[in-house]
Amino acid sequence: MKKLGMVGGLGPESTVDYYQSIITKYQERIGSKEVLPELFINSINMYQVFQFIDQSDLDGLTDYLVEAVQKLEQVGSDFAIISANTPHIVFDQVQNRVQIPLYSIVEETYKKARELRLDKIGLIGTKFTMEHNFFKTPFTSNGIEIVVPTASEQQYIHKKIVEELENGIVNQTTKQKYLDIIKEMVQRDQIQGIILGCTELPMIIKKEDLSFPQLNTTEIHIDRIIDLMFT
């Protein structure tokens, strides 16, 4: 069985979600509640990641994440993932400097969109994910249009992610505003689905909240992790 190395803490709430979901799905796959997967978690500082990006110091961010993955290599991980969307802004640079394979949340989400035959998809997440092209490129280069909210909507979404969701706070007023933004994107932009491009967003937006496809990046990533463990 292959051992996962996970760069976590990005933020803590979604790291817990990854860990619990991996255990549940692993036990479902193996057919026993009396077996647990062996994995390693290196929990790093989410706010340090934000600072690197705010300062446009992508070399510093790369170094920080490379060091995190190398520690996972040293303890025996067979492959690794970064349990957040935003740090994937330097995914390729990190992969080029480590020995074990990394599996991208962005690439797996693109594969899911292609599987669902979606042509125009909304994307919400941190301001870094919405503003930069690292998440959009695999989609747009393969003919799938990515739409982000307006500047004021992006500001609200990011603020609530950092102030509330990253701290485990689920506010119903925030949830309703998020859903209103998504519904506005449906009317305004004719999107066919929405990418929950922050691993904390599934805390507040549930499958039953919307009547069209949600691409839950956390769930998509975890499903791939389970497949890799059994490969």
Side-chain angles (χ1 to χ4, degrees), residues 18 79-85 87-92 95 101-112 134-135 138-139 217-218 220-222 224-225 228:
Y18 265 83
F79 67 99
I81 60 99
I82 301 169
S83 62
N85 290 274
H88 281 67
I89 194 170
V90 293
F91 179 86
D92 291 339
Q95 177 65 94
L102 302 178
Y103 289 87
S104 165
I105 197 170
V106 178
E107 183 63 27
E108 296 305 323
T109 303
Y110 160 69
K111 290 176 183 176
K112 186 65 174 180
F134 73 93
F135 202 107
F139 295 83
T217 57
T218 307
I220 291 166
H221 210 194
I222 291 168
R224 178 62 169 148
I225 290 165
L228 290 163

Side-chain angles (χ1 to χ4, degrees), residues 213-231:
Q214 295 177 37
L215 281 75
N216 178 336
T217 57
T218 307
E219 184 178 53
I220 291 166
H221 210 194
I222 291 168
D223 285 343
R224 178 62 169 148
I225 290 165
I226 299 301
D227 287 342
L228 290 163
M229 283 180 160
F230 283 89
T231 300

